[in-house]
């Protein structure tokens, strides 16, 4: 739901019941004092019908509204609700920080969190955020982002909230911190904010989910792994021998103490491939006996942890993906774990498929140009510049040439 849609709903309810404005003024004043919404708030008899027009009955008991839960369960973000009620009441949401105050705040964050280069760049380009959020909120988001980028262990939102904010519900979906942390993770993972990445995906990349078993990796390889109990498991290898892939959850992987690929083909040049898209991954299973991990687009924590384990015995990973900006960013993420060589998507490979290249639209061209300007040392810059000039190759297009 957009801010305008939400504001229309609230305005209509306020027209029918003007006392609703008095109710929301109390909500706004409390928010300005505590910088967060109240868990519950009481309303008068005259305000009840207006409150009931906006919130479902199961969030209303006697003369009390369970506001925090109502917002958490809604289909709009907490920040949109806050902006809407402040507009309705005419109360200033933030006292604008002047340029020097915003600059001091940004410098303070940069000095405390020097590694979050792309977060600082994002904030400097979006000064309004320095007015929208308090310093405590920005500092908490930076602390949590730093921790998530450094720690691959499974985390859920409740534990994260309890550990950092003494409130297990503080980083739930639709809360301000949820949005802020996801956007900061997005900035660092993508070497700059990428609007195409969902907040859910940003959290899964760093292993945060309320359902950790849903974070999985598919692999087709002769994998042997040692469980923390000391037992050796070879079921992934047995599936490989029968031409089938295996699926491991992040929970499974975090029980592994050691793993390796037991491949009898010692002369094989390609020890391991990472594959961006599903159809090419299935193609490799059906037609090629080459060890491959499916990244499913941007690699989540399960993918990254497994590659980290295997990097101890493999010097180089071959990556096959799209040759657009996202595809090369994915290759770069894997390259941070283990040295990557592009496979079937290098300039030589793309040049041989020149008739199958897809045009880069003007929006994407600007995006690529800005990315190159900000990241001149990007490992796959040559491929990106080729894409900018000639177009990009989808994995599936290369696969079709292999079938012909």
């Amino acid at each position: 739901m957009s801010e305008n849609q939400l504001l229309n709903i609230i305005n209509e309810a306020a027209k029918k019941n003007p006392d609703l404005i008095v109710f929301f003024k109390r909500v706004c004043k409390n928010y300005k004092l505590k910088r967060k919404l109240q868990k519950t708030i009481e309303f008068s008899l005259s305000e009840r019908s207006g409150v009931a027009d906006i919130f479902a009955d199961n969030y209303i008991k006697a003369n009390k509204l369970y506001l925090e839960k109502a917002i958490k369960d809604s289909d709009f973000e907490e920040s949109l609700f806050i902006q809407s009620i402040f507009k309705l009441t005419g109360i200033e949401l933030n006292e604008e920080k002047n340029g020097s105050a915003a600059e001091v705040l940004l410098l303070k964050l940069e000095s405390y969190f020097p590694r979050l280069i792309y977060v600082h760049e994002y904030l400097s380009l979006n000064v309004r955020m320095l007015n929208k959020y308090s310093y405590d909120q920005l500092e908490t988001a930076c602390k949590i982002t730093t921790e998530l980028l450094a720690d691959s262990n499974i985390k859920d939102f409740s534990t994260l909230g309890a550990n950092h904010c003494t409130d297990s519900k503080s980083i739930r979906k639709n809360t301000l911190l949820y949005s802020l942390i996801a956007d900061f993770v997005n900035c660092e993972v993508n070497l700059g904010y990428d609007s195409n990445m969902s907040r859910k995906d940003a959290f899964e990349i760093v292993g945060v989910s309320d359902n950790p078993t849903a974070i999985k990796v598919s692999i087709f390889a002769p994998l042997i792994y040692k469980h923390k109990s000391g037992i050796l498991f070879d079921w992934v290898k047995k599936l490989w021998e029968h031409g089938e892939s295996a699926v491991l959850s992040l929970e499974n992987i975090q029980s592994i103490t050691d793993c390796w690929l037991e491949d009898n083909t010692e002369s094989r040049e390609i020890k391991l491939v990472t594959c961006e898209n599903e159809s090419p991954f299935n193609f490799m299973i059906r037609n090629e006996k080459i060890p491959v991990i499916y990244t499913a687009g941007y690699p989540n924590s399960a993918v990254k942890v497994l590659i980290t384990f295997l990097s101890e015995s493999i010097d180089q990973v071959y990556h096959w993906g799209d040759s657009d900006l996202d595809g090369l960013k994915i290759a770069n993420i894997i390259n941070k774990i283990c040295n990557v060589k592009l496979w079937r998507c290098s300039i030589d490979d793309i040049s041989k498929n020149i008739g199958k290249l897809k045009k880069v639209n003007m929006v994407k061209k600007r995006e690529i140009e800005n990315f190159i300007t900000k990241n001149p040392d990007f490992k796959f810059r040559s491929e990106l510049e080729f894409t900018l000039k000639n177009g990009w190759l989808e994995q599936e297009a290369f696969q079709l040439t292999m079938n012909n």
Side-chain angles (χ1 to χ4, degrees):
M1 183 183 295
S2 69
E3 182 180 345
N4 285 338
Q5 289 173 319
L6 180 58
L7 189 57
N8 286 339
I9 291 171
I10 293 174
N11 278 333
E12 286 301 314
K15 283 179 185 177
K16 288 168 60 179
N17 192 321
D19 286 338
L20 188 61
I21 297 175
V22 178
F23 170 76
F24 279 133
K25 279 184 176 179
R26 293 203 304 279
V27 176
C28 291
K29 288 175 181 177
N30 186 276
Y31 180 83
K32 289 197 75 168
L33 285 172
K34 299 183 178 179
R35 303 306 298 178
K36 66 177 184 179
L37 290 174
Q38 295 164 266
K39 289 185 178 181
T40 61
I41 184 167
E42 293 184 353
F43 51 81
S44 67
L45 185 61
S46 63
E47 295 165 351
R48 183 182 178 88
S49 63
V51 171
D53 279 346
I54 297 174
F55 302 98
D57 289 343
N58 52 314
Y59 301 113
I60 299 171
K61 292 185 179 178
N63 66 331
K64 187 181 292 184
L65 169 66
Y66 287 77
L67 180 60
E68 184 183 65
K69 182 167 175 54
I71 300 300
K72 173 181 167 294
D73 294 345
S74 69
D75 62 350
F76 51 80
E77 292 187 7
E78 179 183 313
S79 59
L80 291 183
F81 173 75
I82 292 167
Q83 289 167 22
S84 297
I85 62 173
F86 271 88
K87 282 184 179 179
L88 173 73
T89 58
I91 298 173
E92 286 291 328
L93 175 56
N94 291 296
E95 293 175 5
E96 292 291 316
K97 299 180 180 74
N98 60 38
S100 59
E103 194 174 308
V104 168
L105 193 156
L106 189 57
L107 286 171
K108 194 173 177 183
L109 289 171
E110 287 174 352
S111 65
Y112 287 154
F113 307 98
R115 294 185 179 181
L116 300 181
I117 298 169
Y118 297 99
V119 169
H120 303 319
E121 177 188 73
Y122 178 61
L123 289 173
S124 67
L125 294 173
N126 295 276
V127 181
R128 61 179 179 77
M129 295 184 71
L130 300 174
N131 294 315
K132 179 178 177 181
Y133 298 99
S134 68
Y135 176 77
D136 287 345
Q137 288 172 320
L138 292 166
E139 182 185 41
T140 300
C142 285
K143 281 181 181 176
I144 294 172
T145 300
T146 302
E147 177 187 302
L148 294 178
L149 293 169
D151 181 10
S152 60
N153 289 319
I154 301 171
K155 294 162 283 288
D156 60 79
F157 291 107
S158 296
T159 304
L160 206 59
N163 289 345
H164 288 275
C165 311
T166 65
D167 181 355
S168 63
K169 296 178 181 177
S170 58
I171 312 178
R172 293 288 183 175
K173 188 176 180 181
N174 293 335
T175 62
L176 292 172
L177 268 180
Y178 175 94
S179 304
L180 200 55
I181 296 163
D183 291 349
F184 283 7
V185 168
N186 180 328
C187 290
E188 294 301 316
V189 167
N190 290 299
L191 309 182
Y193 182 75
D194 185 345
S195 59
N196 296 317
M197 176 174 282
S198 72
R199 285 168 175 158
K200 177 178 178 291
D201 287 345
F203 274 114
E204 288 196 356
I205 283 176
V206 289
V208 184
S209 173
D210 275 333
N211 182 17
T213 54
I215 303 178
K216 299 176 181 179
V217 54
S218 296
I219 179 171
F220 176 65
L223 179 76
I224 306 287
Y225 67 86
K226 187 175 182 179
H227 189 264
K228 61 185 178 183
S229 64
I231 300 172
L232 286 180
F233 286 95
D234 64 353
W235 63 276
V236 179
K237 181 188 176 187
K238 288 187 181 300
L239 286 175
W240 148 273
E241 290 168 348
H242 288 85
E244 295 180 21
S245 63
V247 177
L248 292 162
S249 71
L250 182 56
E251 189 176 21
N252 295 145
I253 293 169
Q254 292 191 321
S255 295
I256 294 174
T257 57
D258 193 15
C259 69
W260 58 91
L261 300 182
E262 195 170 86
D263 190 354
N264 295 328
T265 315
E266 294 296 330
S267 60
R268 188 196 303 279
E269 178 191 356
I270 300 174
K271 303 295 183 184
L272 179 65
V273 172
T274 52
C275 181
E276 178 184 345
N277 295 306
E278 187 174 10
S279 293
F281 173 68
N282 289 328
F283 175 87
M284 290 185 69
I285 293 173
R286 292 192 306 269
N287 299 282
E288 301 173 296
K289 200 75 171 178
I290 299 175
V292 56
I293 290 174
Y294 172 41
T295 70
Y298 282 89
N300 62 29
S301 281
V303 174
K304 293 196 293 183
V305 174
L306 184 57
I307 294 172
T308 301
F309 268 120
L310 291 173
S311 67
E312 295 178 15
S313 57
I314 295 173
D315 295 330
Q316 184 169 256
V317 171
Y318 287 73
H319 178 73
W320 183 20
D322 298 332
S323 68
D324 63 352
L325 178 56
D326 284 317
L328 294 170
K329 279 183 182 178
I330 290 166
N332 191 62
I333 290 171
I334 298 165
N335 187 66
K336 290 181 179 179
I337 304 170
C338 184
N339 184 43
V340 162
K341 181 176 181 179
L342 295 180
W343 185 63
R344 297 177 176 171
C345 56
S346 66
I347 291 178
D348 286 343
D349 297 319
I350 302 168
S351 299
K352 292 172 185 175
N353 292 269
I354 200 78
K356 295 182 177 291
L357 301 189
K358 299 184 73 170
K359 289 184 178 180
V360 180
N361 63 40
M362 291 305 296
V363 173
K364 285 293 180 183
K365 278 187 177 181
R366 283 196 295 272
E367 191 177 334
I368 292 172
E369 287 167 348
N370 290 336
F371 182 84
I372 291 172
T373 301
K374 293 176 184 176
N375 302 280
D377 299 324
F378 184 60
K379 179 171 181 176
F380 307 109
R381 176 174 177 165
S382 297
E383 286 77 15
L384 198 50
E385 288 175 335
F386 184 94
T387 290
L388 184 62
K389 183 178 178 181
N390 302 284
W392 62 283
L393 182 68
E394 283 186 298
Q395 274 190 279
E396 292 80 359
F398 189 95
Q399 177 183 328
L400 289 172
T401 65
M402 293 170 59
N403 284 334
N404 291 338

